Amino acid sequence: VNMENTQLWAIDDRIKPVKGEYTLLKKRASAFHGTELAGILRANNVDTILVTGVTACACVRQTICDGLAEGFRTIAVKEAIGDRVAGAVNWNLFDIDAKFADVESTDTCLNYLNRLNELKNK
C-alpha cells in the first residue's frame, strides 16, 4: 500500500478512534501477526476479544484464529463482519463457529459489554 495515499488506508470517519484510543498498523491479514496487540491486551487483563471487520475470509478469520492461538476467548460479531464476495460471510461464520470462536449477534455483544461496564462501575 502506498502510505502516502492516505485514502487507501485511512480509518473511516464513522468509526474513527476517540481521543486517547490506541490504534495499531497491521501489515498482514491478522491483527495479531507482526503487531503488539496480544501484549497490549494481556497488559490490560483482557481475556476475551470481540472481532469485527472485513474481509471474513481473510482478515477477520486470521485474527480470530490467531486470537485463539494467543489464548484469548474469541467472539465473532455476526452483523459487524463483511466481505467482497456474496456468501463468504455466512460460510466463514458457519465454519468459524464450528471450529474457532463463538458467533454472536451485535445485540448480544453489546449487552455483554454493558454488563462488564456495570460490574466495573460497582
Side-chain angles (χ1 to χ4, degrees):
V1 172
N2 178 358
M3 295 301 290
E4 293 177 15
N5 185 351
T6 58
Q7 292 295 82
L8 294 176
W9 56 268
I11 297 173
D12 189 308
D13 282 340
R14 295 172 292 178
I15 59 168
K16 68 182 176 184
V18 296
K19 185 176 181 174
E21 185 175 15
Y22 183 81
T23 59
L24 62 84
L25 175 65
K26 71 180 192 77
K27 296 181 180 181
R28 294 172 181 84
S30 171
F32 287 96
H33 189 81
T35 73
E36 64 277 16
L37 181 57
I40 290 168
L41 294 173
R42 283 191 193 96
N44 286 282
N45 297 315
V46 172
D47 62 2
T48 303
I49 58 172
L50 304 175
V51 181
T52 67
V54 291
T55 327
C57 63
C59 296
V60 171
R61 186 182 189 93
Q62 286 304 117
T63 296
I64 287 170
C65 290
D66 286 354
L68 178 64
E70 289 284 348
F72 297 100
R73 176 178 179 219
T74 56
I75 300 172
V77 185
K78 185 177 182 178
E79 296 87 1
I81 295 173
D83 203 294
R84 296 177 299 256
V85 179
V89 174
N90 288 337
W91 165 248
N92 277 282
L93 290 178
F94 171 81
D95 196 49
I96 286 166
D97 194 38
K99 299 175 186 171
F100 307 112
D102 294 320
V103 175
E104 298 290 348
S105 70
T106 299
D107 287 340
T108 298
C109 293
L110 289 173
N111 288 336
Y112 170 75
L113 292 173
N114 288 332
R115 283 194 312 274
L116 287 179
N117 281 333
E118 289 171 7
L119 291 173
K120 179 182 171 185
N121 293 325
K122 283 186 177 184

